[in-house]
Amino acid sequence: MRRFLACIGVSLATFCLAALPAAAIPVDPQGLIRPELLGEALASLKAHSDTADQTHLVVVDYARRSDEKRAYLVNLETGLVEAAFRAAHGSGSDPDHDGFLDQFSDVPGSSASPEGAYLLAEQYVGKHGKSLRLDGLDPTNANARARAIVIHAADYAEPSFLKKWGKLGRSNGCIVFSKKDLATFLKDVPRRTLIYVGK
């Protein structure tokens, strides 16, 4: 299935998001997101169109190093990438801590990042402050809620940490932003937005 999605990725990304009720809209004309990954994300959005919000899409590209912006907020009404954020990944996915995600896992206790599609769920206040729960939609991330794989902010995702170490720190599998980026995300991304994590 993943190979099939990758094959149709370029065509989906290159042409348009035809699922929208309005006229066909080119998606990411800026070319910021890798076409293969964007294609997978759009195919997943279409597959979950009955439950996912149709105004925004978030694509997290863990093929990029953690010092790069790799979480993209796409406005589906304009097709444009409205924002891009740095995002930390799990320590179990990067055991040598070189800033690259080596492997995905949804195994409890792995401290790894799971891949696949999520729905952005409710906001809550936890040990990291304001945070957002995620519901996994695929077999590869079905344990997300039980594992408390969420979106939150942490000091190891701050620009000062990046400046000192040349990369972000690692989470227990969560998607982690700087406090400033999380504030933007909370403001601009509606609940039930589909978030697609891949590499």
Side-chain angles (χ1 to χ4, degrees):
M1 181 65 176
R2 185 175 177 83
R3 181 176 294 178
F4 171 74
L5 292 176
C7 290
I8 65 170
V10 175
S11 60
L12 279 170
T14 303
F15 295 111
C16 63
L17 183 61
L20 294 176
I25 298 172
V27 180
D28 185 27
Q30 309 109 298
L32 299 177
I33 308 172
R34 286 187 299 114
E36 301 84 8
L37 187 61
L38 179 57
E40 291 177 19
L42 291 174
S44 184
L45 178 67
K46 185 174 182 180
H48 298 289
S49 60
D50 56 334
T51 55
D53 178 86
Q54 296 295 303
T55 65
H56 291 81
L57 170 68
V58 175
V59 182
V60 181
D61 185 359
Y62 277 146
R64 298 184 183 276
R65 195 170 185 267
S66 67
D67 61 322
E68 299 181 73
K69 292 182 178 181
R70 54 184 183 171
Y72 304 94
L73 171 59
V74 183
N75 184 325
L76 296 175
E77 297 176 333
T78 65
L80 299 177
V81 173
E82 289 188 333
F85 311 102
R86 291 184 180 89
H89 55 247
S91 60
S93 291
D94 179 13
D96 58 356
H97 198 6
D98 65 354
F100 287 101
L101 181 143
D102 299 319
Q103 61 201 13
F104 290 109
S105 177
D106 193 35
V107 175
S110 67
S111 294
S113 297
E115 66 181 324
Y118 302 82
L119 276 186
L120 187 62
E122 72 272 14
Q123 185 178 143
Y124 71 101
V125 178
K127 68 177 182 178
H128 296 289
K130 286 184 179 179
S131 305
L132 294 160
R133 289 196 171 91
L134 298 171
D135 289 319
L137 300 176
D138 295 327
T140 54
N141 60 15
N143 293 319
R145 187 172 277 261
R147 290 182 61 201
I149 301 299
V150 302
I151 295 175
H152 65 79
D155 291 343
Y156 56 78
E158 293 296 328
S160 57
F161 189 100
L162 176 62
K163 183 177 180 180
K164 181 177 181 179
W165 300 104
K167 59 192 172 188
L168 301 186
R170 299 169 297 171
S171 69
N172 289 325
C174 296
I175 301 169
V176 181
F177 296 144
S178 69
K179 292 178 178 66
K180 181 179 178 181
D181 285 349
L182 180 62
T184 299
F185 195 88
L186 289 168
K187 177 173 62 73
D188 293 346
V189 183
R191 187 172 176 179
R192 304 199 70 74
T193 293
L194 189 135
I195 299 173
Y196 191 83
V197 175
K199 66 173 290 190

